[in-house]
Amino acid sequence: MSIVLYHHPFSRAATVVWMLEEVGVPYELRFVDLLTGKHKLADILALNPMGKLPILTDGSALVTESAAIGLYLADRYAAGRLAPHLDDPRRGTYLRWSFFAPAVIEPGLLAKAAGWAYKEGQAGWGNHESMIGAMQTALADGDYLLGSEFSMADIIFGGTLRFMLQFKMLEPLPVFVAYAERLGARPALQKADARNAAVIAEQGIKRG
Ligand SMILES: N[C@@H](CCC(=O)N[C@@H](CS)C(=O)NCC(=O)O)C(=O)O
């Protein structure tokens, strides 16, 4: 099998399983035991010097960073379906919200939860209220970020939003909750949840 996902079900790799299920390509999951530090051993560091998951290999291609993995998979295997074509004007919106999740939502909500002191004009995530406002704007024009059409951007942005809601790091505004529920109803997400649950059972692991 050409696609290998280095995976642990309690990591962002769980969302990459959802990406792969939406894309619909065969893939192998290779379990890396984060709980016993296997991600800091030489074989993993050779793939990702950060010693972090997820890591995806596809033949000779190597991709780390969840958002980059999503964009890679959509361009490579689902162009025109999960990623607008390069000359499609919606490509700007697609990239905009795909980058917004790791660049703004993740650090912004972490900064708030941890009570970091920072200068709003210098931090790329700005202030909390403007971030929440931007997220509402992103979801204002339809069921998905591209309106009526689901795309990989919804997995990247929506996966982060769902995680942050689940761990109560994001206020449950009706627009966020409805979007999270819409995503939760997708068969590919349910298949991914089942696949992640099977690994949890197989490995006999529990959340700390
Ligand atoms: N920016 C990275 C973050 C990767 C990351 O922090 N992964 C966590 C699991 S979700 C990890 O491997 N943590 C183990 C560690 O850092 O020791 C991405 O989006 O893929």
Side-chain angles (χ1 to χ4, degrees), residues 12-53:
R12 289 166 174 84
T15 302
V16 178
V17 177
W18 177 23
M19 293 172 176
L20 287 160
E21 290 296 338
E22 293 280 2
V23 168
V25 284
Y27 59 94
E28 178 196 329
L29 292 184
R30 204 162 290 175
F31 181 72
V32 179
D33 195 350
L34 287 184
L35 306 180
T36 58
K38 297 289 189 295
H39 53 306
K40 302 299 179 191
L41 297 182
D43 57 333
I44 299 298
L45 291 174
L47 298 172
N48 182 358
M50 295 285 287
K52 281 181 173 289
L53 301 180

Side-chain angles (χ1 to χ4, degrees), residues 5 44 177 183 198:
L5 173 63
I44 299 298
V177 173
L183 296 177

